Every structure is written in C-alpha cells, then in structure tokens.
C-alpha cells in the first residue's frame, strides 16, 4: 500500500476512520492524502465565485486543523492535505487517477454497512460509484489489530490477483488469518480450483474455507 486516500468531512466519524487507517498501516511505507470535497448545491447566485473562495478557505483551514490532530497522534505518518471543489464522487475519481491510490478510507455513522439509511448518503454514493478498494470504518469502532479477516465471496468473481491485493496486504501487515465464507447456491462452482487459486494469491497467509 503506497498511497491511501483518507476522506474527511471534518466530523468525528471521519477523524476516527483516519486514525484507524493510520494505526492499521503503521510501520508501512505509506503516503496518505487527507481529502475534502466541497460543493455548491446552487449555481444561480451572482456571488458564486465569492462563495467558492470562502468554501475553499474554510476547507483548507479545517484540513490543516485535522492534519495537526492526526500528526499529533501519529507523528511518523506521511500525510498531505487536498481540498477540491466538486461532488464527492467526482473529486474521489480525480484523486484516484492523480495519485494512483491503492485504497480509499472513509467513515460511516451506523454499525451496518449494508443499509443505506445507516450508511449515510456520502458513504453510499462512494460505495456505489467508485470502482476502487474501500475501507469503511463505523464511527464507534476503535482500532484493534485484526486477528481474523472474513471475506464473504460467491467464489466466482475472483478473476485476478489485484482484486484481493488490499486484503492480502492487511493480513500480511497484521499477521491476520483469512476466512473465506461462501453459501453454496444452485450453480456449480469448482471449489477445489478456487481454493487453489486463492492459496496461490495468499502465500504465507493462514487461510481457511467455510461453506
């Protein structure tokens, strides 16, 4: 993991997610980008330029405050700030292309990462539209080294190694066991072939399969 984007709206939930990521990748040679997207819902006002300038200044000021907060707790972390005008999804897409980031980290307000009303609209939109590895951290979670990582899969969509690279890195970094969970459906899946394929991707990591 060389480059990781930390999304922030300056909430406690976003700060918690950023802290979680900094601790998770502590000791790795990783560069973090603390990213805030600001936008204007209306564009008909004659003061649009002034409003954008004020929003940009406020975004930069708050980014610097969050940067101080994070570096005070993780002084060895390499973090830069980035403030960008536009919708959250568009800003994240642009930053992914610019920085060639390996992972996007963001917080969510609820305990579940399934239901839209628990996720919040921003998290839901990023999950729906951004085709990149995402780490979504619930707001109530505090960091603890993951001893086990569960990967729910249909055993059919693991097409190439890049799809599992972020989890492999985390498991290797933390010495975690990986558990692959699948509920067998009516469609035939060659379990042995998939297990051998995954074992080849995850050499040196303790893995198990549960059906």
């Amino acid at each position: 993991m060389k480059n990781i984007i930390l999304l922030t709206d300056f909430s406690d939930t976003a700060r918690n997610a950023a802290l979680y990521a900094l601790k998770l990748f502590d000791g790795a040679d990783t560069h973090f980008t603390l990213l805030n997207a600001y936008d204007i819902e209306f564009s008909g006002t004659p003061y649009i330029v002034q409003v954008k300038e004020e929003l940009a200044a406020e975004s930069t000021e708050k980014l610097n405050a969050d940067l101080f907060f994070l570096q005070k707790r993780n002084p060895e972390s390499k973090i830069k700030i980035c403030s960008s005008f536009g919708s959250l999804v568009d800003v994240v897409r642009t930053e992914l292309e610019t920085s060639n980031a390996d992972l996007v980290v963001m917080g969510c307000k609820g305990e579940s990462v399934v239901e839209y009303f628990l996720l919040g609209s921003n998290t839901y939109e990023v999950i729906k539209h951004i085709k990149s590895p995402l780490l979504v951290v619930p707001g109530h979670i505090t960091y603890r080294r993951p001893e086990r990582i569960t990967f729910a899969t249909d055993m059919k969509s693991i097409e190439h190694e890049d799809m599992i690279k972020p989890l492999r890195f985390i498991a290797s970094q933390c010495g975690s066991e990986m558990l692959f969970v699948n509920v067998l459906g009516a469609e035939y899946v060659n379990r042995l072939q998939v297990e051998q394929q995954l074992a080849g991707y995850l050499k040196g990591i303790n893995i198990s399969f549960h059906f």
Side-chain angles (χ1 to χ4, degrees):
M1 290 287 174
K2 294 297 183 182
N3 297 293
I4 295 176
I5 297 172
L6 307 173
L7 296 184
T8 183
D9 58 2
F10 311 117
S11 64
D12 290 340
T13 299
R15 286 189 206 95
N16 181 66
L19 284 172
Y20 188 98
L22 293 178
K23 292 177 182 177
L24 181 63
F25 296 102
D26 184 36
D29 185 17
T30 303
H31 296 262
F32 298 92
T33 299
L34 187 63
L35 176 64
N36 172 249
Y38 61 95
D39 201 359
I40 301 175
E41 295 183 359
F42 54 92
S43 58
T45 173
Y47 305 106
I48 185 69
V49 174
Q50 180 181 346
V51 172
K52 285 179 63 176
E53 290 175 350
E54 291 175 355
L55 288 174
E58 181 181 11
S59 174
T60 300
E61 180 182 356
K62 290 184 176 180
L63 278 169
N64 280 311
D66 273 12
L67 177 63
F68 177 80
F69 172 86
L70 295 173
Q71 289 190 321
K72 185 177 181 180
R73 288 155 179 79
N74 298 270
E76 301 301 320
S77 298
K78 303 170 185 176
I79 312 172
K80 69 174 183 177
I81 62 172
C82 180
S83 174
S84 186
F85 176 77
S87 71
L88 179 60
V89 169
D90 288 342
V91 166
V92 172
R93 281 179 179 153
T94 300
E95 184 60 28
L96 282 168
E97 294 174 0
T98 302
S99 65
N100 195 28
D102 303 293
L103 183 70
V104 177
V105 178
M106 66 187 307
C108 68
K109 295 180 180 179
E111 295 185 5
S112 169
V113 293
V114 179
E115 297 295 334
Y116 169 79
F117 67 92
L118 286 180
L119 278 171
S121 59
N122 285 338
T123 310
Y124 175 80
E125 288 300 313
V126 171
I127 291 175
K128 181 178 179 182
H129 296 291
I130 297 299
K131 306 303 180 184
S132 172
L134 299 171
L135 175 61
V136 180
V137 183
H140 69 288
I141 293 294
T142 55
Y143 177 77
R144 181 168 60 92
R145 184 184 67 83
E147 297 179 2
R148 297 180 183 86
I149 298 174
T150 301
F151 185 7
T153 174
D154 60 9
M155 308 297 283
K156 295 179 292 183
S157 59
I158 304 172
E159 299 171 356
H160 49 77
E161 191 174 359
D162 286 346
M163 297 180 66
I164 206 167
K165 189 180 295 183
L167 283 178
R168 182 180 64 191
F169 184 93
I170 293 171
S172 178
Q173 171 87 356
C174 299
S176 309
E177 176 187 2
M178 288 194 65
L179 292 76
F180 290 86
V181 178
N182 170 252
V183 178
L184 294 176
E187 187 175 348
Y188 172 76
V189 176
N190 189 328
R191 286 175 47 186
L192 180 60
Q193 179 180 348
V194 175
E195 289 178 14
Q196 290 176 339
Q197 182 184 26
L198 288 170
Y201 291 161
L202 299 165
K203 293 178 181 178
I205 296 173
N206 184 17
I207 62 174
S208 60
F209 298 90
H210 304 268
F211 300 91

